Amino acid sequence: FGRVRAIQSKSGHFDMLLCVGNFFGSTSEAEWAEYRSGAKKAPIPTYILGANDQETVSYFPDVSGGELAENITYLGRRGLYSGTSGLQIAYLSGTESQEEPAPAYSFSAKDVAELKTSLLSTPNFKGVDILLTSPWPRDVGTFANSAGEIDTKKCGSKLVSDLAASLKPRYHFAALEKVYYERFPYRNHTVLQETPQHVSRFIALADVGNTSKKKYLYAFSIVPMSEMDPAELVKQPQDVTENPYRKSRKETQKIKAPLCAEEEPPCQFFFDLNKHQGKKRPSDGKERGNSQPKQVKKPPQPTGPCWFCLASPEVEKHLVVSIGTHCYLALAKGGLLPDHVLILPIGHYQSVVDLSSEVVEEVTKYKSALKEFFRSKGKRCVLFERNYRSQHLQLQVIPVPLDHCTSEDIKESFITQAQEQQIELLEIPEHSDITQVVQPGTPYFYVELDTGQKLFHRIRSRFPLQFGREVLASEALLGLPQRADWRQCAAGREEEAAQASAFRRDFQPFDFTLRE
């Protein structure tokens, strides 16, 4: 408060003081009693967050917030404070907890979800002016300037990252790590895919009075978002970066108890496809030199029978042609061509944007192997996914003869036929991927060409289920319009098994799972 008085006498009057982190610190009961009695008074209206540990819970008798002493107000557990000027300040007290209900000094996934719901349901919600949390958001350093000795991939809260990604604060203040860090501003929209939005600035403050003289006070003036010219609000500074939370957010959104459950032993997923291949696949990690199996999050479980979870009895196992650690390949049932193949996750994931990093890595390996395999056959491959009226991810991979058409022809056919059906098919910018364009749970259709070009459509209402097949089967490309519907192409089990056996044999030199 002495420092604040000095600044006000030098720089003029400020409207308020916002405090993040541990407000009470090592405060003695006697000193606090002087403020409570009115013997001492805060020099400026001061708004603070709640306890971060059990020791200071007693200072906050009412979890819903209120005045603790003259000019010192506890904001509450979570909510939105709206100033008379129109300034909107979202706040979340405490540290992250996995327990439900959370202790008095913590917040849970439920707290974050309720805060998000209450704000995002506001008509024409664009974001908040300020977000106050005590913990840093996990991964805030991604794409950014260095945070020094702080490892932003390990410190902080994933729930706070998710909250910041949703609320789009113009300023986000945090503490607890005892260092000062001002991150480069980051975007809240995907370039060329979404309407430009304002940027966010994350600022972490050191602890008050630290001996290293690290910055613990940040003085600034701000015009409320609601009062700003829209064009001025969305201006992008030169040092702006991509949003650091885009990739990590999908993991946070899926958090459900139990968080730390180990994946079930994957041995149930593996079975002998060909006794003459001469190699038994490791099922527990130990045969690869690991003393302990890697612990990964268990994928969500299907709500009913699933035709594509490899452990499911519904899977037509005679169509399986390769099995990795996290993914497998299978010939498509009623394929457009005999070598029309699917890349599928072994566990139950609905779409590419839901996948964990380990599964994404193996999907990428399969895509590369198939591209190389089809190229050796004089073909290029087209990959597409429809995350709509499906419950298990199916990456359709269809080969097209090189001398039949170019990648540009394929791209043009998709765009043309999309326009004919009033489907807005957009090209995703180079070096971007689907996870930067769409959030988990959003229906979409996605195409990837062998050149790396990607096309995307966000499904908002109805969508033709066979669209990808129809385009590739058209006279302009494969010339097989009669095979657009897979139900008209189903073969007998014996024929399917023979096709799978032939594909497995031809693909073997390119199958990385046999070499690992």
Side-chain angles (χ1 to χ4, degrees):
F1 284 147
R3 176 86 173 121
V4 171
R5 284 191 186 92
I7 290 175
Q8 290 217 113
S9 63
K10 181 180 179 181
S11 304
H13 178 73
F14 283 79
D15 293 302
M16 62 175 67
L17 173 66
L18 304 172
C19 298
V20 291
N22 299 311
F23 177 75
F24 287 97
S26 56
T27 303
S28 68
E29 289 287 345
E31 185 185 4
W32 176 233
E34 289 182 296
Y35 282 92
R36 290 190 64 187
S37 66
K40 286 185 177 181
K41 178 184 171 182
I44 183 175
T46 302
Y47 299 87
I48 71 174
L49 294 180
N52 294 305
D53 53 50
Q54 185 60 52
E55 288 69 34
T56 53
V57 167
S58 59
Y59 287 107
F60 304 92
D62 186 349
V63 294
S64 62
E67 188 174 77
L68 302 183
E70 187 176 358
N71 262 4
I72 300 178
T73 300
Y74 164 45
L75 287 167
R77 187 160 186 156
R78 63 177 185 275
L80 181 73
Y81 173 85
S82 296
T84 54
S85 65
L87 192 72
Q88 293 203 309
I89 304 171
Y91 55 88
L92 180 68
S93 289
T95 55
E96 181 175 329
S97 171
Q98 308 300 340
E99 299 174 37
E100 194 66 67
Y105 55 87
S106 297
F107 57 83
S108 65
K110 183 180 177 184
D111 289 311
V112 171
E114 289 179 359
L115 178 55
K116 282 168 54 178
T117 300
S118 65
L119 295 181
L120 297 181
S121 60
T122 308
N124 303 314
F125 178 80
K126 293 180 181 177
V128 296
D129 292 301
I130 297 172
L131 172 63
L132 304 177
T133 65
S134 286
W136 287 29
R138 179 75 58 87
D139 293 316
V140 69
T142 305
F143 307 127
N145 47 315
S146 170
E149 66 267 32
I150 303 300
D151 184 350
T152 59
K153 292 185 183 299
K154 294 181 180 178
C155 94
S157 161
K158 287 185 178 181
L159 290 177
V160 170
S161 299
D162 183 43
L163 184 65
S166 295
L167 299 192
K168 303 173 187 174
R170 292 166 65 203
Y171 286 87
H172 178 183
F173 293 96
L176 297 187
E177 300 300 330
K178 300 187 176 182
V179 298
Y180 173 74
Y181 173 54
E182 184 168 1
R183 188 201 188 281
F184 289 153
Y186 62 84
R187 294 188 186 96
N188 283 301
H189 66 279
T190 304
V191 177
L192 300 181
Q193 298 296 319
E194 297 171 321
T195 305
Q197 298 182 45
H198 60 272
V199 300
S200 291
R201 290 173 165 83
F202 173 75
I203 297 161
L205 299 171
D207 44 332
V208 173
N210 67 87
T211 54
S212 304
K213 297 188 176 179
K214 294 173 184 174
K215 190 169 181 176
Y216 63 82
L217 199 61
Y218 187 93
F220 72 115
S221 60
I222 181 173
V223 176
M225 187 187 300
S226 58
E227 301 296 319
M228 288 189 69
D229 174 67
E232 192 68 27
L233 177 65
V234 301
K235 276 188 176 177
Q236 306 290 299
Q238 284 191 334
D239 56 353
V240 69
T241 77
E242 291 300 322
N243 191 302
Y245 312 127
R246 292 262 175 179
K247 289 190 175 181
S248 62
R249 189 181 181 196
K250 63 176 181 284
E251 299 295 333
T252 306
Q253 287 180 327
K254 294 186 292 183
I255 289 178
K256 291 180 181 178
L259 276 177
C260 301
E262 290 185 25
E263 187 176 27
E264 292 178 5
C267 55
Q268 62 177 309
F269 297 137
F270 298 98
F271 31 78
D272 193 358
L273 290 173
N274 187 339
K275 292 181 180 178
H276 302 294
Q277 285 180 264
K279 183 176 178 182
K280 181 182 178 183
R281 289 194 52 72
S283 62
D284 62 0
K286 293 181 181 177
E287 293 175 41
R288 297 191 185 191
N290 298 332
S291 59
Q292 292 185 343
K294 187 177 181 180
Q295 293 185 9
V296 293
K297 289 180 183 175
K298 194 174 179 179
Q301 299 303 304
T303 53
C306 179
W307 292 95
F308 300 104
C309 285
L310 192 51
S312 168
E314 282 80 13
V315 171
E316 298 203 45
K317 295 181 171 60
H318 66 286
L319 292 172
V320 176
V321 294
S322 172
I323 303 177
T325 306
H326 304 286
C327 304
Y328 71 101
L329 291 186
L331 288 191
K333 183 83 171 173
L336 188 52
L337 298 164
D339 46 3
H340 174 176
V341 68
L342 307 178
I343 304 175
L344 304 128
I346 287 171
H348 190 76
Y349 294 92
Q350 183 168 323
S351 71
V352 164
V353 295
D354 290 302
L355 297 178
S356 65
S357 57
E358 296 91 350
V359 185
V360 169
E361 185 179 342
E362 195 161 273
V363 166
T364 303
K365 283 186 176 181
Y366 267 126
K367 282 159 62 171
S368 298
L370 287 168
K371 186 175 179 180
E372 189 181 348
F373 168 63
F374 285 127
R375 184 67 63 160
S376 74
K377 300 281 188 183
K379 302 174 182 179
R380 68 176 92 254
C381 58
V382 180
L383 180 148
F384 69 84
E385 177 199 1
R386 169 177 51 80
N387 181 31
Y388 170 70
R389 292 181 62 181
S390 61
Q391 64 161 331
H392 191 114
L393 166 62
Q394 304 157 55
L395 284 176
Q396 312 268 345
V397 184
I398 299 175
V400 178
L402 289 170
D403 58 3
H404 219 72
C405 54
T406 66
S407 293
E408 200 59 37
D409 292 332
I410 297 170
K411 176 182 171 183
E412 193 60 39
S413 289
F414 269 102
I415 292 173
T416 301
Q417 293 195 45
Q419 288 173 342
E420 289 173 359
Q421 300 188 50
Q422 282 81 50
I423 295 170
E424 186 182 25
L425 203 55
L426 303 172
E427 186 166 356
I428 298 176
E430 193 177 1
H431 307 307
S432 296
D433 61 44
I434 187 73
T435 60
Q436 295 173 287
V437 176
V438 67
Q439 298 299 334
T442 304
Y444 63 85
F445 175 78
Y446 168 73
V447 185
E448 185 173 329
L449 306 178
D450 65 329
T451 56
Q453 291 175 293
K454 308 174 186 87
L455 302 173
F456 165 81
H457 169 65
R458 183 181 277 108
I459 300 173
R460 301 185 188 279
S461 55
R462 293 185 178 181
F463 184 81
L465 298 183
Q466 305 297 335
F467 178 71
R469 283 183 67 125
E470 287 169 357
V471 174
L472 290 164
S474 66
E475 293 291 354
L477 297 179
L478 291 173
L480 299 168
Q482 73 280 8
R483 297 186 68 83
D485 189 338
W486 73 271
R487 289 165 294 192
Q488 307 302 318
C489 307
R493 186 183 178 91
E494 194 172 319
E495 184 182 348
E496 289 176 336
Q499 289 175 346
S501 179
F503 185 98
R504 196 179 300 126
R505 182 187 62 247
D506 293 347
F507 183 62
Q508 191 167 337
F510 303 88
D511 190 347
F512 65 89
T513 68
L514 303 178
R515 299 191 293 271
E516 293 184 347

